[in-house]
Structure formats: structure tokens, C-alpha cells
Amino acid sequence: MPDPATGSAIARVVEPVPRLVGHLAVPGDKSISHRAVLIGAICEGETRITGFGRSADTEATIAAVRALGVEVYEHGRETLRVFGKGLDGLRSPGAPIDCANAGTLVRLIAGILAGQLGEEFELVGDDSLSRRPMGRIAEPLARMGAGVETANGFLPIGIQGRALHGIEYLLPVASAQVKSAVLLAGLYADGPTTVVEPAPTRDHTERMLAAAGANVTVRSASVTVEPPARLSLGEVEVPGDFSSAAPFVVAATLVPGSELHIHGVNLNPRRTGLLAILQRMGANVTTYNRREIGGEPAADLEVHSAPLVGTTVDGDEVPLAIDELPLFALAAACARGESVLRGAAELRAKETDRIEATVDALRALGARARAREDGFSITGVPARLRGGRIESRGDHRLAMLGAVAGVASREGVRIGDAEAVSVSFPGFFEMLDELRRASAVEQPDRR
Ligand code: S3P
């Protein structure tokens, strides 16, 4: 993100900390926030969303539904009122819908727009989104009878709303975004639509559709939605985003003498693969105050620093930790022994090629890491990383990786284009600075 004064990307230096001690609460879950606005847009009447995770990505979703004729009122940063148009009430804006950097927005909205009879839409995005594969949604939507055209599998996507058919679709890749596109299009089909998953992925769409009154049947490896007469959500309380808590969990694990509490975090088991991985590595993370927030399991996390040992991650564990795998790499770089990630070729289709970007970043900071076709291998050293300079490449997860590496390093980390964090977590550096200040005065509980 360029500095308005100089036109160049803003860099930040994150200095080491002696320890991290304190309490924090991270913003609302990005995946759930997108879904609450998108599904709210096709509900009857008002959907009130609290704990909304405001970010560049989710603001693109608000702008998109507004362009389609939906009224969205904003009360402060975290409360929204979405006045839905009903299942069939979205109207063509007559101009392209800009999905910016948001993969979740473009894939999910495509499923909804495919069913808006007689309307025509065009979806565009930024350079990064324009390099990401869209054939993976166009193909199943076309099988349902949708009028969907991509530019050789990439943006822009043209959509003509048509009558759709229910299908049974076996996902070729474990992707919640593709699953969700098909399920949302299934709302407009002439019969049930079933998606079969090669491995479990996040299930926020099916949870929210069921909460809105749709008939959703969940089996161990598949989910079926039946076309509803109407949807109505009412209230959605968004829990804290595990993916935004994860950088702090890893930071407190790596920085000796730390004790951190993170409150109100979504602990949907399809999102918390990193916790299982870290615990296997020896991390000291416990949960308390288990409860439900917005129909999702949630709790408070307590993290104490701990020495780590290397581990292997593959197969079904990958989708459960997909956005946190760069942080796993950092933890592995500071663990004793070898760590390996396999079966994660999907990382190459994210905001950047996150296999190359993660390995390059870690090497620049003094770690021993090697890219594999479908993952990476890392030889850890159980000590602080040296530090150095990395580039976010416009990828929010890479910028946060650099910041965590910085606090846990010996010499600090300079992050080029650090403001990329605003894609999912605009206040990230402020929260880290506040924690740094609090840690200087607070002592960990001695129990
Ligand atoms: C998301 C699903 C994941 C994840 C992305 C958000 C979602 O993508 O990486 O950040 O909200 O459904 P894929 O499902 O394509 O792996």
C-alpha cells in the first residue's frame, strides 16, 4: 500500500521484545464477516451484524452488496445493519463489481449472482486476485447451468443469472470457497445440491445457511443444501478471528517468559489446525471460558512460551491450518529438529505463492528452509532467529509473519509494504505496539 506522500510502499521495523505479557481481543472473523454480509444481502429484512471484522477485504464485500442495491448501515466499526433484498432481489449495477484482493468475496458472490435470473454482472479484482484461479468455481457453476465466463480461468468473470440445476459435486481441491460458491448457487437450483469434500474445510457457510432457515444436511464428507423459499438471519455475532489471533499465539510461544490471554476467539475445529500442530510441537496453549458465539464454538486462549520440537504436517491437516501455514513455518524455524509440510500445493494459489514467499522470507531472516513442490522443509534452531529484511509482496499473512519474526528475533525485522496487513487486520501493528508497551510493565502471573 503506497504512502500518499511519497507513493512508495510503507515499511516498518519490528524490534525484538524481551517478553509478551497481557490480554487482547482480536477483530471479528473475516470469513464469517464476509458471509454475514453476503447472506444478509439475500435474506428477507434486516440482518444485524455485531463484532464485524472490518478490513479492506470485508469492506469490499460491503461495497459489492451496496452496488447490487442492498442498503448497509454502519454503526461504528463493528456493527452493521444489512437490509436484504430476498433471494432474487439483487440488481445489476451496470458496472463491474470490484472484489479488490478478496478471494472469498469473488468466489462466494459468483455463486449468488449465478442465480439472479435475467441479470448480468462482471466481477473484477486487483492484480493479485487477477492471478488467482477462477476456473475452479466456473466449472461447477457451469455444470449447474450457470452463464459464467472467465478470461481463460481468471478474472474478469462475466455472469448471466439463469435457472440452475442441483448437482452432486466432488471438489477436486479441498476449498471452502469453492464449496461455498456451489452451495450458494444451490439456493437457486431446482433440487438439492451436494458438495463432497476430499478433506474437511471450514464450514461457516453451511452453519450460516442453516441458521438462516435453509435445509442443510451435513454428513462426514459432504453437505447438501435444498433451495429454500426464503432466508432470514436476524442477528449475527461474529467471534474473534483465529487467523488474527494466530500471530500472537506464535509470538507468545516463541518469546521466552511470555504469558498472553486472547479473548473471544472462534475455535471452530475446521479453523484451528495450527493449535493442534503447535501443541504437538510442545506449545503451551490452553483454552478456557468455552462458549458459543454466533453459532460457532469460541473460547479464551492462554499462551505461555515453550520450547518447540519439529513436526510433519500433511494430508487432512492442511485445510484446517491453510492460512496459518506460514506461521507454522516460523515456529518450525525456531524448533529443535526437522519440520516438513506436504500436500499443501494450494498455498501456491493464495494471495502470493505462499510456499516461495514463506521460504524466501525465512531464509532472509537466517532460517534454514527449502521449498518443495507441495510444501517446505525446515531445519529448526531452538534460539531466536537473527532477523533482517523481508517483503510482504502485498500479502497480509506475510507481513504478519514478518512482525512475529521481528518480536522473536535477535536484531528485528524490516517489513517492506507492511500495510498489507490491512487486507485482514488493519489495527495489527497498533495492537502489537500496545502489547509491547503493556509487556514492559506487567509481570506474568506466578501460579
Ligand atoms: C476462506 C477459505 C480458504 C482461506 C481463505 C478464506 C473462506 O480458501 O484460505 O483465506 O472464507 O472460505 P480456500 O477455501 O480456497 O482454501
Side-chain angles (χ1 to χ4, degrees):
M1 224 145 277
D3 178 343
T6 63
S8 57
I10 301 173
R12 268 188 192 253
V13 177
V14 176
E15 301 287 355
V17 288
R19 60 171 191 265
L20 289 169
V21 181
H23 291 254
L24 49 90
V26 293
D29 187 274
K30 177 158 80 78
S31 290
I32 298 172
S33 296
H34 279 303
R35 285 160 172 80
V37 174
L38 290 169
I39 296 174
I42 52 170
C43 279
E44 304 287 329
E46 178 179 345
T47 299
R48 188 163 178 278
I49 306 169
T50 55
F52 179 72
R54 183 175 290 275
S55 65
D57 264 16
T58 56
E59 283 183 344
T61 295
I62 296 175
V65 303
R66 280 187 174 140
L68 294 162
V70 177
E71 281 172 39
V72 181
Y73 293 98
E74 304 181 39
H75 304 271
R77 285 184 68 76
E78 295 193 353
T79 301
L80 302 182
R81 288 159 70 216
V82 179
F83 288 85
K85 291 282 177 194
L87 281 160
D88 304 303
L90 303 180
R91 294 290 164 259
S92 170
I97 297 171
D98 186 1
C99 298
N101 194 243
T104 302
L105 168 57
V106 72
R107 270 104 179 217
L108 270 58
I109 206 169
I112 292 173
L113 298 180
Q116 304 296 314
L117 267 189
E119 299 290 318
E120 293 199 5
F121 310 93
E122 189 183 359
L123 301 174
V124 298
D126 70 6
D127 288 349
S128 158
L129 195 61
S130 301
R131 285 192 296 271
R132 298 179 65 185
M134 297 299 153
R136 53 177 59 193
I137 53 162
E139 195 261 331
L141 293 178
R143 274 203 220 180
M144 298 177 80
V148 180
E149 226 172 276
T150 66
N152 285 324
F154 295 94
L155 292 179
I157 301 178
I159 299 177
Q160 288 181 322
R162 291 193 187 150
L164 303 178
H165 316 296
I167 59 168
E168 179 167 322
Y169 188 65
L170 172 60
L171 287 178
V173 287
S175 163
Q177 292 179 352
V178 180
K179 171 175 67 174
S180 300
V182 176
L183 292 176
L184 290 167
L187 299 173
Y188 300 93
D190 54 5
T193 294
T194 298
V195 180
V196 183
E197 300 195 88
T201 67
R202 65 191 71 192
D203 58 1
H204 309 304
T205 301
E206 39 275 49
R207 283 174 188 260
M208 204 177 283
L209 287 177
N215 211 339
V216 178
T217 311
V218 177
R219 288 171 227 88
S220 60
S222 70
V223 49
T224 300
V225 66
E226 287 169 37
R230 61 193 295 278
L231 293 175
S232 169
L233 264 177
E235 300 267 330
V236 182
E237 187 184 358
V238 183
D241 195 330
F242 180 77
S243 296
S244 299
F248 293 100
V249 171
V250 173
T253 296
L254 295 181
V255 176
S258 296
E259 177 187 328
L260 196 60
H261 295 252
I262 311 175
H263 299 278
V265 183
N266 178 16
L267 291 187
N268 182 319
R270 301 211 176 173
R271 293 290 297 281
T272 53
L274 180 74
L275 276 191
I277 295 166
L278 287 176
Q279 279 160 346
R280 198 158 74 229
M281 296 174 82
N284 183 350
V285 186
T286 48
T287 58
Y288 60 102
N289 280 339
R290 283 212 168 244
R291 56 204 187 269
E292 261 207 6
I293 302 179
E296 296 265 342
D300 300 340
L301 295 175
E302 176 170 347
V303 189
H304 293 257
S305 49
L308 301 180
V309 292
T311 191
T312 294
V313 171
D314 60 3
D316 290 1
E317 210 164 24
V318 167
L320 310 181
I322 188 74
D323 294 336
E324 288 68 61
L325 292 172
L327 288 168
F328 159 59
L330 174 61
C334 305
R336 184 159 43 79
E338 298 288 323
S339 290
V340 177
L341 171 68
R342 292 188 291 243
E346 264 301 284
L347 285 182
R348 295 193 184 275
K350 295 296 177 190
E351 285 84 331
T352 54
D353 175 339
R354 284 194 182 146
I355 292 178
E356 299 300 332
T358 300
V359 166
D360 287 354
L362 288 181
R363 288 162 80 133
L365 303 179
R368 285 169 63 193
R370 203 161 49 82
R372 305 160 54 105
E373 200 40 48
D374 64 345
F376 43 67
S377 49
I378 291 171
T379 307
V381 177
R384 283 185 178 251
L385 274 178
R386 183 194 65 222
R389 301 163 74 109
I390 68 154
E391 286 302 319
S392 77
R393 309 183 190 189
D395 185 334
H396 53 133
R397 306 269 176 230
L398 260 292
M400 286 189 258
L401 169 79
V404 178
V407 295
S409 68
R410 295 197 304 274
E411 299 175 6
V413 172
R414 183 182 192 279
I415 306 155
D417 193 5
E419 294 311 310
V421 297
S422 63
V423 161
S424 66
F425 193 166
F428 171 75
F429 285 108
E430 290 70 22
M431 197 171 278
L432 187 61
D433 286 346
E434 181 55 38
L435 183 60
R436 181 191 296 277
R437 278 193 293 276
S439 304
V441 290
E442 287 200 30
Q443 296 295 321
D445 282 351
R446 297 271 173 240
R447 282 185 240 164

